[in-house]
Amino acid sequence: MLNPLFYYENVRLALRQIWANKLRSILTALGIIVGVASTTAVIAALTGLKTKVLSEFETFGAARLYVWPSRPDGVPKNLFPWEKIRLKSEEAIALRDQCTSLKGLTPISETSLSVQSDAEQLDGVSVTGIWPAWHATENRQVIMGRPFSDQDIVNERQVCLINDLAVRDLQLPRDPVGQHLLIGGRRFLVVGVVETITERMTGFNTISAEVFIPFPLMGKFQDRDFFMRFVALAKSPEEAQDASAEMTRVLRKVRGLGTGDPDTFRVQAIDQFIDQFKSIASGITAVAGGIVGISLLVGGIGIMNIMLVSVSERTREIGLRKAVGATPSAILLQFLLEAVTLCLVGGLVGVLIGQAFALAVSSIPGAKMENASVPAWAVALAFVFSAGVGVVFGMFPAIKASRLDPIEALRHE
Amino acid sequence: MAEPIIEVRGVTKVYHVGVEVIHALRGVDLAVHAGEMVAIMGSSGSGKSTLMNTLGCLDRPTAGTYHLGGREVSGLDAAELSQVRNQEIGFVFQSFELLPRLTALENVELPLLYARGKGWGWARQRRKLAEEALQRVGLGKRMDHRPNQLSGGQKQRVAIARALIAKPRILMADEPTGNLDTTTTEEILALFAQIHAQGQTVLMVTHENDVAAHCERVVRLRDGLVLSDLPAEQDAAVGPLALARRSAA
């Protein structure tokens, strides 16, 4: 029997049943609602973050490489003192000159100094030492004046680049090129202005004044063994891995490391960061999946409980239905469809709440979540899981209902 | 004479309640022909409910044969019995057994919900049949009422419409007036008479002689056996007490 009409009618009947017991239905489906809503929200937030971060990675270009000092794992600290592992300017020069797969490389060192203009003095301004290649590796061009040149580096010219926030904070004229600044007590000529980048991959919001000076001059403001890192750009994203290998080889040679010696530095291409980020994201997704699993289990037990109550309350109804010709399988299907419908309604409410949460999060200014949205697969999955819970946990009560003896059931008080 | 639509031979029913064994039916023979209106009577414990459940295919006999419309049904399984009930039997219960959330119309439609092999057009057809059935019992104006908006007599009319909708071979009524006042009882019995007059075979379980008097034939049970099986006038003339004495003698 069981024509399509029968399914349709039972779903309609189930919806009426749910509507007639609104409060009970909501309480019953709460586990599923909460489970689906929280997972939907987490997935939405994660999707937003992922889109955001990956698009940031892309604007940086997948060709970027990072080098930083790193003490090998599990070795005595005294065998690898800082002096032995820290990066040095000569190493930057060696890498730049010897690595054929690189388009550019810059050492980067940051400190904070007091900066003084004619009108204003600021303390703790971020001062960064760079080479001209920095414009390419960080993708930050000048919007006024000129970029750094090799001559600035070689001749250790006391010139600087500033960002537009520094222009504002130091109360410089709109075109500050040609102005002089006292940086850490030394007089620098402003030669150009770079854009302020408000958001960076690392998550730091550098919405503050920035000053850039030729790298060799950083030594004048810091200890002799100050910290520096290198940022390089491979000729193409495809060559990033090759470049990483080449840089490792060159740097090992420069450092005189033997075949068995561990690396005293780390070279990492940006796509490895992307991989790391992706694996973190899928880790969070898995945890969210675990949470949804638990809440669906709890929700399912709630469903089973209420369906058992429902079967017991409606024993006479079951008896009557059987008396007028409902087969055991028809009764089974009726109660199973009721459980599934209840779960699906719970899933729908959950998805809507999750969607609302995603919408709310995406409109928080500065939360970087403007891309938060519930992907279609998550919605589909939520419904599949909800229906699954309905089938699994509705089965036992439905079987119980289908096996009721019609005479006994009709006699039930 | 034509073949009877109900024919039971040597039907017994044994229940086990804990260690106790109850012989509810001890070998009942009964034949009902098309168009008859039969009352089954007996005190409580006489086996009349068990016989009714067996005849209504709600229960299977422990032994004996049951031919319903020429078909042996005593060996069918639960699903097959459901279908037989759906197609061959209409039930009317003492406490109406209407589903409270459904309208009168939907209650009447219920048996057709379980009819087999129907397509999408069935929904509309079903509705029409239910409307006709309600009109037949005089409730054409109460179709959208819920059971709690209906009087006892109206509820039983809905139940009768429900029992008739699948055009069953037999209409079985178990104390159909047990919950009704005298006036309403008369109305419902008149309705049964009217339905019977239209050719419907009716089987009615009752313990009231007044009700049984509306039938053509009265079957009395005692201790799981048929005590008497007489035309209604004769049964009334002999009287239940005399029958009881005769069997005791």
Side-chain angles (χ1 to χ4, degrees), chain B:
Chain B
M1 205 174 202
E3 202 182 323
I5 51 170
I6 285 181
E7 189 175 29
V8 291
R9 288 267 168 267
V11 161
T12 67
K13 183 72 193 180
V14 181
Y15 292 112
H16 298 268
V17 180
V19 288
E20 221 176 319
V21 178
I22 296 166
H23 293 269
L25 296 176
R26 295 167 186 269
V28 172
D29 297 333
L30 183 69
V32 176
H33 288 85
E36 278 193 292
M37 183 161 176
V38 181
I40 296 174
M41 296 193 71
S43 55
S44 82
S46 62
K48 65 179 192 302
S49 293
T50 307
L51 180 61
M52 190 71 171
N53 289 337
T54 307
L55 295 180
C57 291
L58 288 165
D59 207 353
R60 274 168 291 202
T62 307
T65 60
Y66 176 15
H67 284 85
L68 176 63
R71 180 185 179 197
E72 173 61 54
V73 294
S74 58
L76 299 181
D77 67 20
E80 290 167 326
L81 283 178
S82 290
Q83 280 180 69
V84 171
R85 290 194 297 271
N86 189 234
Q87 289 155 17
E88 312 276 4
I89 297 161
F91 286 103
V92 176
F93 300 95
Q94 179 175 355
S95 46
F96 323 126
E97 304 297 346
L98 301 179
L99 300 188
R101 290 204 204 295
L102 304 187
T103 63
L105 198 66
E106 288 166 328
N107 265 293
V108 173
E109 266 187 282
L110 201 62
L112 300 186
L113 199 72
Y114 299 106
R116 280 175 178 257
K118 304 291 182 183
W120 284 102
W122 184 230
R124 187 177 272 172
Q125 260 176 286
R126 226 169 47 192
R127 181 120 308 196
K128 201 159 158 278
L129 288 170
E131 283 169 7
E132 284 168 9
L134 274 173
Q135 269 150 7
R136 198 173 159 196
V137 298
L139 277 180
K141 286 177 181 159
R142 295 264 192 284
M143 292 192 191
D144 294 323
H145 289 220
R146 306 219 169 207
N148 60 7
Q149 297 167 305
L150 298 171
S151 70
Q154 288 170 335
K155 281 186 210 172
Q156 200 58 304
R157 282 171 194 270
V158 174
I160 292 167
R162 179 179 65 194
L164 290 175
I165 192 167
K167 301 192 169 59
R169 230 181 265 268
I170 310 152
L171 177 62
M172 289 199 175
D174 186 357
E175 305 276 10
T177 58
N179 283 6
L180 301 175
D181 61 39
T182 324
T183 323
T184 320
T185 296
E186 286 305 319
E187 285 172 21
I188 293 298
L189 287 175
L191 180 59
F192 271 108
Q194 183 198 328
I195 290 161
H196 171 237
Q198 290 162 357
Q200 177 70 52
T201 312
V202 180
L203 216 63
M204 197 182 284
V205 168
T206 181
H207 64 271
E208 288 175 73
N209 290 313
D210 295 352
V211 173
H214 283 78
C215 299
E216 297 171 330
R217 180 181 157 196
V218 179
V219 175
R220 289 181 186 268
L221 291 182
R222 206 169 108 166
D223 294 335
L225 286 166
V226 176
L227 175 64
S228 68
D229 184 351
L230 297 167
E233 311 83 53
Q234 247 179 292
D235 179 87
V238 175
L241 288 172
L243 280 165
R245 269 198 300 278
R246 193 172 69 185
S247 95

Side-chain angles (χ1 to χ4, degrees), chain A residues 330-381:
Chain A
I331 296 292
L332 181 104
L333 206 62
Q334 180 193 337
F335 280 87
L336 206 54
L337 282 173
E338 193 170 315
V340 170
T341 307
L342 186 58
C343 290
L344 283 178
V345 169
L348 177 69
V349 173
V351 165
L352 289 178
I353 293 175
Q355 188 78 258
F357 181 83
L359 219 63
V361 157
S362 67
S363 58
I364 297 174
K368 296 195 209 176
M369 282 292 180
E370 58 270 23
N371 293 317
S373 69
V374 184
W377 63 262
V379 175
L381 211 64

